[in-house]
Amino acid sequence: MQCQQCDKQAMFHITELETGDVRELHLCEDHARVYLNQAEADSQENESDGTGGAVGVGQTAKELSEIDQRVCEMCGITFFEFRNQGRLGCPHDYVQFEEELEPLIANIHGELKHTGCRPKRERSAEDQSVLPESTEKLTSVIGMRKEIREAVEDEDYEVAGTLRDDIQKILHQWHAEESKE
Amino acid sequence: MKFEVLKSSVGEWLKGTGPESDIVMSSRVRLARNLAQYPFVGRASEMERREVEEFLRSRLTKTSVGSRLEYMDLGGLEDLDRQFLVERQLISREHADATGARGVAIDSAEQVSLMINEEDHLRIQCLHSGLDLEAVWAQIRSVDEEIEAVVPYAFHQRWGYLTACPTNVGTGIRVSVMLHLPALVITRQIDKVFRSLHKISLAVRGLYGEGSQAFGDFYQISNQITLGRTESELISQVADVVPVLIDYERRARDFLLEETERNVHDQVSRAFGILRTAQTISAEETMQLLSRVRMGVLLGLVDDLHVSDVNKLLVRTQPAHLQKMKGIDLDTKDRNIERARFLRSYFEAGSSGEN
């Protein structure tokens, strides 16, 4: 039998008995470990740092596996990898996984909005939902570096060269803005 | 060579000065920051990590704070030297034990330390002696502002400063105060105190030793939440509770003096006696005994010893410090012998001769 969350063989067959509901899970070793750790963390309501908790409460295995497979378009980390390690891959993850991170962050901090200091250049920005333009543009460089590596692997040196130029332009633009201040 | 200077000095935070320094050893604030244009350290390739290190190092030299700091490439140091910096509280244990491109910039007073490629691209730390959180905050804020002018921090309007671990997101601030609470330990009130701190979401951990096992009655109190409150609010959360703890500890010390002076005096004298005469002694035992002696000095039960001497000994008797002073690597058994020898000669010379 195949794991419900990936292509590997299911090694763990778990039956969850909830009020009026019997749920069967068939998971490979990795996904079972994540699931069981999750269940343990939930039942203990432990005082750990909270990463890896929160997400998954009240969600079905199918929903969870969908969330787990989401990928950051910049650094390539999957939500599953994040849940396993407790560390995010790049600043863009906070945009990419904003919805998924929300319950987790609420669980850790009890709040969902930064009220402290801001870098001077970001203080005027009004849009609350996205990265400020400069951060957004700069995080795109992370994805472009990944594309360069892929292009080099495919021996597509022309694409790699263009991407390198584009990165330089973005970085130069930031440096130019910085020196204006 | 920087290590020669470090070896013969001690950090400002060990001077035993500053407000409430009989109980508050040090006040520390650290800020977690990341560059917008690179993956977080854990996901960066070796080349990206090198680029982050080079970028930050070259940018820091453009700031007035950066130009006053000495930079050390941690990858290029011996294990022992990295351990030395951990004992000095200039880098974290994780930063010492990691691999790959990483470094630290520190000032000569050992108040400011900038860790590059720790869990986040940049960790700014500021450490003062005694209870001095407002001054620490003012200093670290000005360092942060200087750096932010030349470095593109990853920042989100809603989530604030973006960090590798969501537990630090928002302000990225960790405020901590290190306390010496021997009388609360002796009178068995310490657990009660910790439980009440947990209730107001402050973290407590022993300074030395693993996990909950704290050696020498030194405890660090810090904030856990970093999002949804201002830095000042988070600092106040820690700062407000410290006077209460100081008051408890002072009352417990008074109680010990009034009710059991002979016992306390006996314990302190025996501790001092062992430290002055032992032929071999472990780091743990040294810490426990120095803690007792430190309390004795503050209660007026020990003559000819200043609290700053005890503070210095707490650091200088640690493994890497002993080996750096001796100039050779020593195994545990030889370290214990060397530690005892060092303590004997320190007290024989008379504490006033050392600085």
Side-chain angles (χ1 to χ4, degrees):
Chain A
M1 188 182 282
Q2 194 185 322
C3 170
Q4 288 171 332
Q5 302 203 19
C6 68
D7 295 333
K8 281 190 234 157
Q9 199 185 350
M11 304 290 282
F12 287 77
H13 307 280
I14 302 162
T15 308
E16 286 283 6
L17 299 173
E18 288 156 0
T19 38
D21 193 7
V22 179
R23 200 152 53 92
E24 283 193 12
L25 290 162
H26 306 283
L27 301 168
C28 70
E29 205 174 348
D30 287 346
H31 280 99
R33 198 176 60 230
V34 172
Y35 177 81
L36 293 171
N37 284 342
Q38 180 67 48
E40 193 180 77
D42 288 344
S43 69
Q44 287 179 349
E45 285 188 28
N46 63 4
E47 294 171 6
S48 74
D49 63 8
T51 47
V55 179
V57 182
Q59 283 161 317
T60 66
K62 189 157 172 283
E63 281 167 348
L64 263 183
S65 89
E66 274 170 22
I67 291 173
D68 274 347
Q69 282 164 26
R70 285 182 200 161
V71 179
C72 171
E73 57 195 7
M74 295 306 163
C75 70
I77 198 174
T78 62
F79 201 70
F80 174 72
E81 285 176 277
F82 160 65
R83 289 212 297 145
N84 252 347
Q85 306 157 359
R87 301 289 179 277
L88 290 158
C90 81
H92 186 73
D93 293 356
Y94 283 95
V95 178
Q96 189 88 46
F97 303 132
E98 183 157 15
E99 213 177 287
E100 293 82 4
L101 285 171
E102 220 173 79
L104 183 74
I105 290 176
N107 195 36
I108 300 168
H109 299 286
E111 298 282 345
L112 287 166
K113 173 93 185 72
H114 175 62
T115 55
C117 293
R118 296 163 171 269
K120 272 201 186 95
R121 67 175 70 83
E122 316 292 12
R123 275 174 211 167
S124 57
E126 286 296 316
D127 192 343
Q128 303 281 305
S129 62
V130 295
L131 294 171
E133 202 190 349
S134 60
T135 301
E136 183 78 78
K137 231 183 242 166
L138 286 165
T139 54
S140 69
V141 169
I142 298 168
M144 288 158 79
R145 278 202 208 91
K146 189 160 59 90
E147 285 170 36
I148 291 179
R149 283 196 292 272
E150 286 160 7
V152 170
E153 266 172 39
D154 296 342
E155 299 185 9
D156 197 341
Y157 299 111
E158 201 178 320
V159 169
T162 316
L163 283 164
R164 265 190 209 108
D165 293 344
D166 291 347
I167 289 180
Q168 284 312 312
K169 260 182 235 159
I170 293 173
L171 295 180
H172 274 137
Q173 197 184 350
W174 188 83
H175 290 316
E177 279 169 22
E178 168 218 351
S179 51
K180 260 191 303 192
E181 281 169 17
Chain B
M1 178 62 203
K2 184 72 186 176
F3 273 97
E4 295 307 311
V5 181
L6 281 176
K7 229 164 59 181
S8 57
S9 68
V10 286
E12 190 276 344
W13 66 275
L14 280 169
K15 296 235 162 86
T17 56
E20 319 287 4
S21 55
D22 57 332
I23 292 168
V24 184
M25 299 282 287
S26 62
S27 303
R28 186 181 80 112
V29 174
R30 77 111 170 94
L31 298 173
R33 299 289 186 253
N34 286 279
L35 300 175
Q37 74 272 35
Y38 285 99
F40 294 134
V41 178
R43 195 160 178 91
S45 66
E46 185 46 42
M47 195 168 83
E48 284 169 327
R49 288 182 61 149
R50 270 204 304 277
E51 284 178 28
V52 168
E53 199 225 12
E54 279 162 25
F55 179 85
L56 280 173
R57 191 158 33 145
S58 70
R59 291 265 140 181
L60 289 173
T61 57
K62 293 191 172 185
T63 62
S64 78
V65 58
S67 60
R68 282 187 277 112
L69 305 180
E70 170 112 9
Y71 188 81
M72 295 188 212
D73 170 10
L74 288 181
L77 291 182
E78 302 278 327
D79 275 350
L80 187 60
D81 290 339
R82 288 196 290 262
Q83 185 58 37
F84 183 89
L85 296 173
V86 173
E87 291 173 4
R88 219 47 176 246
Q89 303 207 9
L90 293 168
I91 62 173
S92 63
R93 193 166 296 281
E94 293 74 23
H95 203 205
D97 296 342
T99 55
R102 66 202 192 284
V104 63
I106 55 178
D107 72 332
S108 56
E110 297 177 46
Q111 285 188 323
V112 178
S113 126
L114 309 176
M115 282 168 258
I116 296 180
N117 282 342
E118 210 251 20
E119 181 181 295
D120 295 293
H121 293 146
L122 182 66
R123 289 261 173 118
I124 308 172
Q125 172 185 282
C126 197
L127 185 65
H128 285 195
S129 182
L131 181 59
D132 203 18
L133 283 172
E134 275 182 35
V136 173
W137 168 241
Q139 186 176 24
I140 202 165
R141 182 65 192 137
S142 82
V143 171
D144 188 39
E145 281 186 326
E146 265 199 72
I147 297 172
E148 122 197 332
V150 295
V151 159
Y153 282 155
F155 184 83
H156 188 285
Q157 295 299 339
R158 181 185 181 195
W159 299 129
Y161 292 95
L162 303 179
T163 52
C165 185
T167 52
N168 295 317
V169 78
T171 55
I173 199 172
R174 192 75 67 215
V175 182
S176 44
V177 171
M178 203 218 299
L179 302 165
H180 184 219
L181 305 172
L184 286 177
V185 175
I186 294 171
T187 57
R188 299 174 197 275
Q189 295 178 82
I190 199 86
D191 287 339
K192 201 173 68 191
V193 170
F194 290 170
R195 277 198 297 277
S196 59
L197 289 175
H198 280 301
K199 277 188 197 142
I200 53 170
S201 62
L202 291 175
V204 185
R205 63 183 188 89
L207 174 63
Y208 304 106
E210 301 292 316
S212 59
Q213 174 83 42
F215 292 119
D217 319 319
F218 296 97
Y219 296 93
Q220 192 166 283
I221 317 284
S222 56
N223 65 305
Q224 282 184 306
I225 289 166
T226 57
L227 180 78
R229 299 191 200 169
T230 65
E231 288 81 355
S232 303
E233 286 167 342
L234 292 166
I235 290 166
S236 297
Q237 201 196 5
V238 175
D240 289 352
V241 81
V242 173
V244 181
L245 296 174
I246 290 173
D247 185 48
Y248 284 162
E249 171 66 19
R250 290 229 170 94
R251 275 197 247 172
R253 288 181 189 184
D254 289 347
F255 171 84
L256 287 176
L257 266 191
E258 279 162 25
E259 303 294 322
T260 60
E261 179 171 354
R262 192 173 295 278
N263 270 342
V264 174
H265 201 159
D266 181 63
Q267 278 189 26
V268 169
S269 304
R270 282 166 185 269
F272 200 18
I274 293 172
L275 288 169
R276 275 184 303 190
T277 55
Q279 299 297 309
T280 169
I281 190 165
S282 70
E284 290 77 15
E285 188 180 4
T286 305
M287 200 74 71
Q288 301 281 30
L289 298 176
L290 283 172
S291 168
R292 281 295 126 85
V293 171
R294 191 178 188 277
M295 183 178 73
V297 170
L298 293 162
L299 292 178
L301 302 173
V302 179
D303 296 329
D304 307 326
L305 197 60
H306 190 265
V307 73
S308 67
D309 294 311
V310 185
N311 290 357
K312 276 180 240 162
L313 288 174
L314 282 166
V315 170
R316 286 190 176 175
T317 53
Q318 288 184 53
H321 271 74
L322 280 177
Q323 293 173 82
K324 288 298 283 181
M325 277 188 291
K326 188 77 179 168
I328 48 168
D329 285 5
L330 301 167
D331 62 17
T332 308
K333 185 169 155 273
D334 287 338
R335 278 205 301 274
N336 291 349
I337 294 170
E338 176 57 25
R339 185 176 294 111
R341 196 203 57 76
F342 169 70
L343 285 164
R344 288 196 310 274
S345 72
Y346 187 92
F347 291 121
E348 268 163 31
S351 53
S352 54
E354 284 261 0
N355 57 47

